[in-house]
Amino acid sequence: MKFGVVVFPGSNCDHDAFFAVSHNLGQSAQFIWHDAASIPDVDAVILPGGFSYGDYLRCGAIAKFSPVMSAVKNFAREGGMVLGICNGFQILVESGLLPGALVRNAGLKFVCRSVDLRVETANSPFTSTAIKGSTVSFPVAHGEGCYVADERTLDELEAEDRVVFRYLDNPNGSQRDIAGILNRERNVMGLMPHPERVTEPLMGSTDGLGVFQSMISALARK
Amino acid sequence: MLTDSELQKAADLLGREPNPTEVGIFDVMWSEHCSYKSSRIHLKKLPTRSKLVLLGPGENAGIIDIGEGYGIAFKIESHNHPSFIEPFQGAATGVGGILRDIFTMGARPIAVLDALRFGPLDDPENGARNRRILRGVVGGISHYGNCFGVPTIGGETVFDKGYNGNPLVNVFALGVIKTDEVFFGRAHGVGNPVIYVGAKTGRDGIHGASMASAEFTEESKQKRPNVQVGDPFMEKLLLEACLEAMKTGAIVGIQDMGAAGLTCSTCEMGSRAETGIEIDLMYVPQRETGMTPYEIMLSESQERMLLVAEKGREEEVFTVFRKWGLDAATIGVVTDDGTLRVRNHGVVVAEIRNRDLADEAPIYNRPYTKPHRNVPMEGPALPGADALTSLIALLSSGDMCSKRWIWEQYDRHVRTNTLAGPEYDASIVRVKETSSSIAISLDGNGRYCYLDPREGTKLMVAEACRNVSTVGALPVAATNNLNFGNPERPEIMAQLVESIEGMAEACEFFETPITGGNVSLYNETLGEGILPSPVLGIVGLMKTAAPPSLEFQNADRAVMLIGGLGDCDNVHFGGTQFAQVIMKSMWGLPPALNMAYERSVQATIRDVVGAGLAESSHDLGEGGLAVALAECSFGGVGAEVRVESALAPEFLLYHEAPSRILVSTSNPEGVEEICRKHSVECLRIGSTVTGKLTIGGMMESSIENLKRPWQNALENMLND
């Protein structure tokens, strides 16, 4: 499978995502520069963590204007898989590819720790190999990861089975403990925790492999 | 500020009176911070070489060979004075400064650690300010490191009233470099262009280096404009652009603009290459209008670099910086006359030989007497307090309590190399390009050094090496940060001299040469000096593998004390945490160190870990045996131990003699065998059990009862 990892100025988990899919999962990977007008020949796009354009305004608020995001929207519209991790999730909501917003953590501090998540649906290309209701542990590392949306949106997300991961011990005050969500077409997922950081035993866990393995098997089914 | 005799020396070197801009240039370059004028003759005593040292002191960072074509560049640096005046930005730019030192050599930073010292958070007079400073410093480190994308993986936080008016922020950074692609701050090649890259120059931080070389007074609060403002995003772009530009092969030399900004980078690059540099300030990118030559030369605006490119290949460099959206401008040229010539719109505004600035700074052999100390040799009688009550009090004290509140604000995993974070004796990052990992420990103990600077410093070296050995790594090199008071006071200068000599002896003995570092003097406020506070950063090498944890993992394992119970008497108990927290007193001498035995204990634990026999491994440090047993138990598996000794119970449980390591193992005979081989004492003191800690005849507690106060203490103290 061919992964493309977008590099914004200020992305800092781009190398980690690249390493996870290429070294730990043995897939092909390439970087996509933020001013690319189109997405190269890849099967999935990863928007990595970091501080795109410094994130001095609202996280992801500048990144949504970068040329590559128009290309990512087209890619998603045509059914391509898009995975936004941490800052990538923030960029997806800012770009309107996912609903809601990510605001300052309830504790008002940056928080880096391992959190337990419940897999809420296996009906997605990002969790198809997982068991619904099972628990995985991914690290979080963010200052603005509190997911908020209006009640109707939250109800809709739940009714449409679009909440993918929920925190068991909410680290940031996210509404309804939401850690990751899907778009309506289920080919775009954003989540605050970092699956790419737990894809080899040396990092203490391989819980994150499932996300990428699901994507690989989703492509194979296509 | 320059003294009269220093001003005279400058005039003699010039052969004329310096103009005001030149006085400013001499002032920063000859400041304590840039010239090491009080410490230089003593720093020469430190060992700096070994088979692995590729680059020792004098460049931006030292480099150690780790094999397979790669090296590590690392250094520690202080940002004490700015962090007192403006804690958030002071600490943030401290991180930024040391990161630039690393990547200016061509190394990509992969780890940061911090040694922090604050006044007590519950200090009756200064508590509120100390809490504000801690929050600001931690916030600043978190802000800069997290955004830049380097994991902050460890360090230490210590409290003492000696730091009430003068907190310490020492930042260690480490990067990975190809050994045949090292860049130096040297302006070679007459006719080559001198190029300025990165952030624009503003009026911030003017005279920061001079500020860092003076005591604090009431007026210091007005020095806030001397503190720089950091932009980690800009630094991240600068990192990527510099590493990419270096790959073009068009860069001859490069140096960051840190202390003394454009002044320091130009004259040092020229001096090292024995060339001259001529620049015109009209080409320097500026963010403010109407800046004078004095202000431009002395600005300490952050995130800037100076580089020398091969003539005719400037465009290759500019292309890379344009890609990353950064300013890059040719501001001058390398010349053959050894002179720093600064023009402003063509008019010469300063003209000084590079070596006069970089190498001719005055060197002082300042007088020193006996190290300052104001405590007795004999201490009060032991209080006979209940062992469990004492243990809980210790575990919830500032120095011993969990620092989770701090390190949870640091991204510890970015770059996915962190094998061990702050919850271990030493932190570990793997080097993906090789089969090796690097273990790092920052250590320092101001109370030990106050009681005896020489022995205290040796204990610090021993402890740092032991920490690194505890996770299975071989200590190979060190970087030092010497934080002291006013060197013009002979009893303070004596602390510095004795500490350096102790460090020299111990680093020689443990074969950990000092490859660079930083000296921070004048850490005084209103005449009140800090505890003598050398900090050492030790790096160790190991094959990449998961280290044993600090905490006990399974019940029914043997608990072994490698190195034995150690010895103690009243005099050597006066610097312990027990003396400080329970007896509210300090006296006597630091614990006694036998370096030969210490070395054997370290070799033993490396062999035990290497043979895979240690399920957990934790050295005894501050708080002694009882605190170490508690810390090993916080994962939920505790222990039942029994120790027989003629020592008083307080001594037995809480003395801090070095050369002792606790392991849990399913193969006690194997551990004993290795200890015998090294002639190291090995005691089987008990076995692990679930949920409680029992020290036979002295105390018994559920783990929860010990853990809760330990875990919550810092946050409770921070609540106003």
Side-chain angles (χ1 to χ4, degrees):
Chain A
M1 176 162 174
K2 288 176 287 194
F3 285 88
V5 179
V6 175
V7 182
F8 298 99
S11 292
N12 63 29
C13 303
D14 45 348
H15 292 185
D16 302 351
F18 190 99
F19 184 80
V21 295
S22 61
H23 186 271
N24 296 341
L25 282 124
Q27 307 299 308
S28 97
Q30 60 178 291
F31 288 119
I32 305 172
W33 189 233
H34 68 115
D35 67 2
S38 63
I39 300 297
D41 175 28
V42 296
D43 304 307
V45 169
I46 299 176
L47 303 181
F51 290 72
S52 53
Y53 303 93
D55 277 343
Y56 287 123
L57 195 52
R58 248 177 11 251
C59 296
I62 304 290
K64 73 174 167 190
F65 296 114
S66 64
V68 77
M69 283 315 296
S70 311
V72 168
K73 281 183 188 167
N74 290 335
F75 181 80
R77 199 177 304 124
E78 287 158 17
M81 281 182 273
V82 178
L83 170 63
I85 303 168
C86 197
N87 191 226
F89 186 15
Q90 294 164 338
I91 294 167
L92 288 173
V93 295
E94 282 290 335
S95 307
L97 281 164
L98 292 173
L102 290 149
V103 300
R104 193 98 191 269
N105 293 349
L108 303 182
K109 291 197 307 285
F110 190 98
V111 58
C112 176
R113 73 168 75 126
S114 214
V115 295
D116 286 342
L117 306 167
R118 191 168 55 235
V119 180
E120 295 287 33
T121 179
N123 177 22
S124 91
F126 308 94
T127 50
S128 58
T129 64
I131 296 162
K132 181 177 171 173
S134 62
T135 302
V136 291
S137 184
F138 297 168
V140 291
H142 58 248
E144 304 189 17
C146 174
Y147 184 76
V148 294
D150 57 43
E151 289 296 310
R152 217 181 70 186
T153 306
L154 293 170
D155 291 342
E156 201 173 277
L157 283 171
E158 289 178 345
E160 295 173 2
D161 192 25
R162 287 161 58 193
V163 175
V164 193
F165 294 106
R166 245 188 257 270
Y167 300 111
L168 294 183
D169 186 7
N170 193 336
N172 53 31
S174 288
Q175 291 182 343
R176 303 192 191 179
D177 300 326
I178 288 174
I181 55 170
L182 291 166
N183 66 343
R184 187 161 283 144
E185 294 72 29
R186 310 187 88 76
N187 63 325
V188 177
M189 177 172 85
L191 77 170
M192 287 313 295
H194 286 271
E196 83 284 11
R197 293 186 179 186
V198 278
T199 51
E200 56 179 323
L202 266 180
M203 292 297 109
S205 164
T206 53
D207 281 7
L209 284 175
V211 169
F212 303 98
Q213 282 161 347
S214 296
M215 293 169 78
I216 294 165
S217 59
L219 179 75
R221 281 196 307 272
K222 258 190 182 175
Chain B
M1 291 297 132
L2 292 175
T3 64
D4 288 347
S5 65
E6 288 171 348
L7 209 50
Q8 186 56 50
K9 181 172 182 185
D12 292 346
L13 287 167
L14 282 177
R16 59 179 168 79
E17 288 299 313
N19 66 35
T21 301
E22 290 169 335
V23 170
I25 290 173
F26 273 111
D27 183 41
V28 289
M29 287 308 296
W30 288 5
S31 69
E32 192 67 58
H33 186 82
C34 290
S35 74
Y36 299 94
K37 59 191 170 191
S38 299
S39 57
R40 196 179 276 213
I41 61 165
H42 300 289
L43 294 174
K44 285 191 184 135
K45 298 168 185 168
L46 294 169
T48 58
R49 275 174 242 247
S50 78
K51 279 193 304 241
L52 296 180
V53 175
L54 295 179
L55 197 62
E59 283 288 344
N60 289 300
I63 299 182
I64 293 290
D65 192 345
I66 62 165
E68 300 168 68
Y70 284 86
I72 47 168
F74 62 96
K75 197 165 88 165
I76 190 167
E77 203 162 77
S78 64
H79 231 213
N80 304 335
H81 293 76
S83 301
F84 179 52
I85 296 178
E86 211 298 276
F88 186 95
Q89 289 297 343
T93 53
V95 176
I98 189 68
L99 288 172
R100 278 194 301 288
D101 278 338
I102 301 303
F103 70 77
T104 191
M105 314 211 60
R108 179 180 283 280
I110 61 166
V112 162
L113 293 87
D114 312 278
L116 310 177
R117 304 285 184 275
F118 303 102
L121 300 179
D122 53 1
D123 188 274
E125 270 175 65
N126 304 292
R129 184 176 68 184
N130 293 338
R131 294 192 288 274
R132 182 181 61 79
I133 291 174
L134 183 144
R135 285 176 187 280
V137 165
V138 170
I141 292 168
S142 158
H143 163 70
Y144 208 101
N146 296 351
C147 178
F148 178 83
V150 65
T152 302
I153 59 171
E156 46 165 24
T157 307
V158 175
F159 301 92
D160 189 277
K161 61 183 187 312
Y163 306 111
N164 264 333
N166 207 125
L168 303 182
V169 175
N170 291 182
V171 187
F172 169 102
L174 177 142
V176 179
I177 191 165
K178 271 189 150 165
T179 50
D180 57 357
E181 292 177 10
V182 177
F183 282 79
F184 298 98
R186 296 176 191 170
H188 283 298
V190 174
N192 279 337
V194 175
I195 299 174
Y196 171 117
V197 300
K200 290 178 169 58
T201 296
R203 286 193 174 91
D204 46 337
I206 291 171
H207 265 306
S210 307
M211 175 188 76
S213 308
E215 285 182 39
F216 275 120
T217 60
E218 281 299 327
E219 290 130 53
S220 300
K221 286 170 192 157
Q222 294 159 15
K223 295 201 171 171
R224 200 158 289 154
N226 288 20
V227 179
Q228 315 85 339
V229 175
D231 178 353
F233 170 58
M234 177 67 85
E235 180 110 326
K236 166 72 172 165
L237 301 182
L238 195 58
L239 161 77
E240 299 299 340
C242 285
L243 294 185
E244 198 171 318
M246 286 167 178
K247 287 218 171 71
T248 64
I251 292 181
V252 174
I254 178 166
Q255 172 147 347
D256 75 301
M257 292 190 225
L262 193 52
T263 295
C264 185
S265 51
T266 46
C267 73
E268 282 192 357
M269 284 186 79
S271 175
R272 289 199 195 103
E274 296 181 345
T275 55
I277 283 190
E278 184 169 322
I279 58 173
D280 194 321
L281 299 177
M282 65 186 273
Y283 300 117
V284 171
Q286 294 163 42
R287 79 166 85 102
E288 297 180 66
T289 53
M291 288 181 72
T292 65
Y294 180 94
E295 290 171 328
I296 298 172
M297 287 304 287
L298 299 186
S299 161
E300 292 189 6
S301 290
Q302 300 289 290
E303 293 95 22
R304 305 178 300 162
M305 292 272 194
L306 192 72
L307 57 89
V308 170
E310 221 172 277
K311 191 175 179 186
R313 299 183 65 183
E314 297 89 329
E315 195 46 38
E316 293 172 53
V317 175
F318 289 148
T319 304
V320 173
F321 283 88
R322 260 199 305 274
K323 172 185 162 189
W324 289 95
L326 294 174
D327 271 316
T330 300
I331 63 167
V333 66
V334 179
T335 66
D336 63 357
D337 63 2
T339 297
L340 169 63
R341 190 172 297 104
V342 183
R343 293 177 188 273
N344 194 26
H345 296 274
V347 181
V348 174
V349 293
E351 197 167 21
I352 312 172
R353 274 180 310 206
N354 283 321
R355 60 181 313 275
D356 290 349
L357 291 169
D359 306 322
E360 289 297 322
I363 290 178
Y364 295 123
N365 187 0
R366 297 199 187 274
Y368 52 95
T369 49
K370 275 175 64 119
H372 169 68
R373 78 171 254 160
N374 190 19
V375 293
M377 259 333 208
E378 286 290 329
L382 293 172
D386 170 58
L388 182 56
T389 313
S390 299
L391 179 57
I392 290 173
L394 275 171
L395 289 171
S396 47
S397 70
D399 288 359
M400 309 308 303
C401 71
S402 168
K403 303 302 186 304
R404 178 183 288 268
W405 185 92
I406 293 175
W407 52 252
E408 267 202 353
Q409 296 183 55
Y410 304 148
D411 189 341
R412 305 180 302 283
H413 311 123
V414 62
R415 303 211 64 76
T416 57
N417 295 318
T418 309
L419 304 185
E423 60 274 51
Y424 290 75
D425 286 335
S427 306
I428 308 174
V429 278
R430 71 161 159 197
V431 179
K432 281 200 184 96
E433 295 84 348
T434 71
S435 58
S436 294
S437 291
I438 314 297
I440 308 154
S441 173
L442 296 193
D443 279 283
N445 189 317
R447 281 190 318 282
Y448 289 0
C449 290
Y450 180 80
L451 295 174
D452 185 336
R454 186 181 301 266
E455 290 304 310
T457 304
K458 285 159 67 177
L459 281 161
M460 167 183 82
V461 177
E463 159 105 38
C465 290
R466 186 166 63 247
N467 283 336
V468 161
S469 299
T470 301
V471 296
L474 177 69
V476 293
T479 174
N480 63 357
N481 210 136
L482 302 169
N483 307 280
F484 289 83
N486 182 348
E488 295 164 39
R489 290 167 53 191
E491 70 280 15
I492 300 294
M493 191 64 207
Q495 291 177 335
L496 176 64
V497 173
E498 296 228 346
S499 176
I500 291 175
E501 289 177 358
M503 187 180 291
E505 188 189 341
C507 285
E508 192 85 56
F509 187 85
F510 291 106
E511 297 174 67
T512 51
I514 303 277
T515 62
N518 176 243
V519 180
S520 173
L521 304 178
Y522 298 95
N523 288 292
E524 304 205 349
T525 297
L526 302 172
E528 192 68 38
I530 59 165
L531 295 174
S533 305
V535 170
L536 197 73
I538 285 274
V539 297
L541 276 179
M542 57 186 273
K543 285 286 153 208
T544 294
S549 70
L550 182 148
E551 293 168 347
F552 298 137
Q553 294 299 296
N554 297 293
D556 299 322
R557 299 294 189 262
V559 176
M560 321 277 290
L561 183 55
I562 295 173
L565 285 171
D567 204 3
C568 186
D569 57 19
N570 176 288
V571 170
H572 293 90
F573 198 64
T576 61
Q577 284 289 338
F578 189 92
Q580 164 166 283
V581 176
I582 309 296
M583 300 172 72
K584 315 264 185 244
S585 186
M586 176 158 68
W587 71 88
L589 295 170
L593 169 70
N594 176 336
M595 291 206 293
Y597 190 63
E598 172 70 38
R599 184 166 60 189
S600 300
V601 168
Q602 291 178 17
T604 303
I605 188 63
R606 286 194 301 270
D607 282 356
V608 168
V609 172
L613 298 182
E615 273 191 9
S616 71
S617 168
H618 179 29
D619 82 312
L620 271 57
E622 290 178 277
L625 176 64
V627 165
L629 279 167
E631 288 169 341
C632 288
S633 303
F634 288 152
V637 178
E640 260 176 23
V641 304
R642 178 166 292 279
V643 279
E644 307 290 343
S645 164
L647 289 172
E650 288 90 343
F651 287 174
L652 177 59
L653 291 178
Y654 300 109
H655 84 79
E656 297 178 3
S659 317
R660 299 183 294 163
I661 297 166
L662 264 180
V663 299
S664 63
T665 179
S666 56
N667 182 355
E669 294 77 19
V671 174
E672 282 162 352
E673 175 66 37
I674 292 172
C675 289
R676 254 197 309 279
K677 201 182 84 194
H678 290 282
S679 305
V680 160
E681 198 184 339
C682 182
L683 295 176
R684 194 164 163 175
I685 59 173
S687 52
T688 53
V689 294
T690 304
K692 64 175 182 174
L693 176 63
T694 308
I695 304 177
M698 288 187 267
M699 71 170 77
E700 176 163 358
S701 171
S702 72
I703 291 171
E704 207 39 44
N705 185 36
L706 298 171
K707 186 175 178 179
R708 211 176 312 109
W710 172 78
Q711 204 164 29
N712 299 334
L714 185 62
E715 208 166 340
N716 290 342
M717 282 186 269
L718 278 167
N719 288 333
D720 290 306

